[in-house]
Amino acid sequence: LKVSDLVDEAYKRINQVEDKVQAFLTIDEERARQTAKVLDEKLDSTKGILYGMPIGVKDNIVTKGLRTTCASKMLENFDPIYDATVVQKLQQAETVTIGKLNMDEFAMGSSNENSRFQKTRNPWNLDRVPGGSSGGSAAAVAAGEVLFSLGSDTGGSIRQPAAFCGVVGMKPTYGRVSRFGLVAFASSLDQIGPITRTVEDNAYLLQAISGLDPMDSTSADVQVPNFAAALTGDVKGLKIAVPKEYLGEGVNETVRQSVLDALKVLESLGAVWEEVSLPHSKYALATYYLLSSSEASANLARFDGVRYGYRTPNADNLLDLYKNTRAEGFGEEVKRRIMLGTFALSSGYYDAYYKKAQKVRTLIKQDFENIFEKYDVIIGPTTPTPAFKIGEKIDDPMTMYVNDILTIPVNLAGVPGISVPCGFDQGLPLGLQIIGKHFDEATIYRVAHAFE
Ligand code: GLN
């Protein structure tokens, strides 16, 4: 089998399903074929484990000379002049980038309905959302258009769409993967991570993109273990914590049952589990929206019509240039977050909101640390329900936000978390969330693989 054949297969599949799924914002067939040709000439002895694999990249990760839009009018025609570190690493790993994947604008959303360009659909049921914000990344893998993809996760954006689309999605420990070249949403929460069909694939892809990067001062100088070596199937004696807040109110009965069934499987393999409490998780949603919007308001200040992307044609002076560029370039949800964040950071309110939220964030992090003193992993559902209908929540931001209630605390604590498929509700996939200690993705993979 040649790499060119694999790439052929990917485009064949894209031609079959893409008009229904609509996962891609940009497809660069010529470039992919060129890469495939170069790879086909490599000697066998130099080929790595990911050699020749077709991959898709979320459209907030910059790719040199390949349009990177963040699904925003603001960057509709933006051609980056450099590659993100993860993209360079993918090239070193000899993968073939097939195209750029749809998302909620600037990664703000849970359904892909906030994309300025198109609505990606859930391959399991085209009337349902694929989740978000990495909805294109999850849908493309679920529909077989690519073998792997990269997403980003600020409050659940890898794990929630992975759950909705029946694939495996990992949000690594904060600092595990370089953010250089990821268009920032909330810098203290954002992480890039892999979305794949199997846990094994996921371990290999995370391996390829991890590690210290001098270009990202928040990337960590921590040894990257051999993740694939953790896939032993052995979970004997493993201690699992199940937070009661994760199986309580708001979580649908089938979802609850699927988690209890998964725990039974792990028990039969020799693991033990106990109920615990994350007492501050009830404040996680408010804390997250305050902090992430504050950081977003600062990060998105760079889109001023001067340096990047869209510039309004309707301005006679500098102030109007700023105002009209931003009014025309950003969508509703992005503006909502910028206004909320700007308010929270404004003088007179800073202590009451931003500072307070930082304190609560510390308490949430301590909840996790307390549990990890006694247990190896935390398990619960990824989402309270399976994929919802397109249009169902779009007019009510609060119901949309509540969908992330189970994934958000993990970002606030900075710990790693995965979603693996664990059953169905009305023909729609459900996800099991496995959360680990800082930099202990290996144990997460071990549990996920044993369960898979
Ligand atoms: N849905 C959440 C939000 O809208 C999470 C987004 C993300 O993880 N990028 O902020």
Side-chain angles (χ1 to χ4, degrees):
L1 191 69
K2 299 209 316 226
V3 178
S4 306
D5 299 331
L6 269 179
V7 170
D8 273 346
E9 284 303 316
Y11 285 111
K12 220 196 271 165
R13 184 70 185 157
I14 288 171
N15 284 332
Q16 277 170 358
V17 301
E18 181 58 12
D19 63 328
K20 297 188 206 82
V21 178
Q22 298 188 46
F24 283 91
L25 289 175
T26 306
I27 293 181
D28 191 345
E29 192 165 343
E30 208 182 297
R31 176 199 284 245
R33 293 204 179 279
Q34 200 55 41
T35 312
K37 233 167 98 188
V38 173
L39 289 176
D40 273 332
E41 275 146 29
K42 279 207 125 175
L43 295 174
D44 277 353
S45 59
T46 64
K47 290 175 187 165
I49 187 96
L50 297 179
Y51 171 80
M53 295 292 151
I55 184 162
V57 177
K58 186 177 181 180
D59 212 21
N60 60 349
I61 298 173
V62 301
T63 41
K64 188 174 171 179
L66 182 58
R67 193 173 77 120
T68 301
T69 68
C70 290
S72 181
K73 180 171 174 179
M74 196 56 100
L75 291 174
E76 191 166 5
N77 300 306
F78 178 58
D79 272 333
I81 53 171
Y82 65 97
D83 279 318
T85 296
V86 290
V87 172
Q88 290 173 28
K89 284 181 180 264
L90 287 180
Q91 281 157 9
Q92 282 155 18
E94 303 160 324
T95 63
V96 184
T97 301
I98 297 294
K100 302 298 292 289
L101 294 159
N102 196 26
M103 54 186 280
D104 288 293
E105 186 176 3
F106 285 104
M108 297 170 186
S110 309
S111 67
N112 263 41
E113 291 164 292
N114 295 340
S115 166
R116 279 300 275 270
F117 305 122
Q118 67 202 34
K119 288 185 178 41
T120 299
R121 285 155 194 275
N122 191 314
W124 292 85
N125 179 334
L126 297 172
D127 296 330
R128 303 273 166 159
V129 302
S133 65
S134 313
S137 300
V141 172
E145 296 176 285
V146 285
L147 279 174
F148 305 130
S149 65
L150 292 185
S152 70
D153 190 314
T154 305
S157 279
I158 288 175
R159 289 160 288 155
Q160 185 255 26
F164 281 6
C165 292
V167 293
V168 181
M170 170 70 107
K171 187 213 70 96
T173 310
Y174 185 79
R176 175 64 92 190
V177 177
S178 167
R179 291 182 297 110
F180 180 68
L182 171 68
V183 178
F185 162 11
S187 312
S188 77
L189 301 159
D190 300 341
Q191 268 291 288
I192 296 171
I195 298 179
T196 59
R197 289 206 158 204
T198 69
V199 172
E200 190 181 1
D201 287 352
N202 208 281
Y204 282 123
L205 189 52
L206 182 61
Q207 189 89 41
I209 61 171
S210 290
L212 178 68
D213 178 10
M215 301 302 281
D216 171 7
S217 61
T218 64
S219 76
D221 190 5
V222 174
Q223 171 91 35
V224 183
N226 182 348
F227 294 126
L231 309 179
T232 57
D234 181 10
V235 292
K236 220 170 267 140
L238 186 102
K239 294 206 206 71
I240 302 170
V242 181
K244 61 171 192 272
E245 293 81 3
Y246 275 46
L247 291 176
E249 208 192 325
V251 174
N252 119 359
E253 188 47 39
T254 316
V255 171
R256 223 172 72 87
Q257 200 49 53
S258 76
V259 172
L260 294 174
D261 290 347
L263 289 168
K264 265 194 211 119
V265 173
L266 290 167
E267 234 172 8
S268 74
L269 296 170
V272 291
W273 70 272
E274 277 171 359
E275 195 177 275
V276 298
S277 173
L278 292 168
H280 297 94
S281 60
K282 55 177 177 289
Y283 305 117
L285 205 64
T287 307
Y288 168 83
Y289 276 97
L290 213 132
L291 294 177
S292 66
S293 301
S294 298
E295 293 187 33
S297 76
N299 278 326
L300 272 56
R302 74 192 60 170
F303 300 103
D304 55 8
V306 178
R307 287 169 291 183
Y308 302 92
Y310 180 73
R311 176 181 298 174
T312 182
N314 315 309
D316 302 326
N317 57 53
L318 187 62
L319 199 61
D320 282 350
L321 177 82
Y322 294 152
K323 283 206 275 197
N324 295 344
T325 293
R326 290 167 68 82
E328 293 157 23
F330 289 134
E332 291 282 293
E333 183 63 27
V334 176
K335 285 182 200 164
R336 185 165 20 244
R337 309 264 181 129
I338 292 173
M339 286 191 284
L340 183 66
T342 306
F343 176 76
L345 291 177
S346 56
S347 99
Y349 296 102
Y350 182 91
D351 283 359
Y353 294 114
Y354 184 77
K355 209 164 151 198
K356 182 72 157 231
Q358 289 287 36
K359 289 181 179 170
V360 181
R361 180 178 184 174
T362 302
L363 294 175
I364 290 169
K365 189 163 168 252
Q366 279 165 2
D367 280 356
F368 281 91
E369 280 162 7
N370 291 341
I371 288 179
F372 284 132
E373 272 175 20
K374 283 208 244 139
Y375 299 90
D376 300 300
V377 291
I378 297 173
I379 285 186
T382 308
T383 58
T385 64
F388 46 90
K389 290 205 180 78
I390 293 174
E392 189 181 321
K393 297 186 198 279
I394 194 66
D395 296 325
D396 183 358
M398 267 317 281
T399 24
M400 192 71 94
Y401 296 174
V402 167
N403 201 259
D404 298 323
I405 195 120
L406 305 170
T407 48
I408 275 174
V410 175
N411 301 72
L412 290 169
V415 292
I418 203 170
S419 179
V420 282
C422 81
F424 290 90
D425 183 13
Q426 309 151 52
L428 296 163
L430 300 174
L432 184 75
Q433 187 173 203
I434 307 168
I435 303 164
K437 300 177 186 172
H438 280 107
F439 296 105
D440 192 16
E441 290 88 355
T443 301
I444 294 181
Y445 281 134
R446 184 152 62 89
V447 180
H449 181 66
F451 165 74
E452 192 177 34

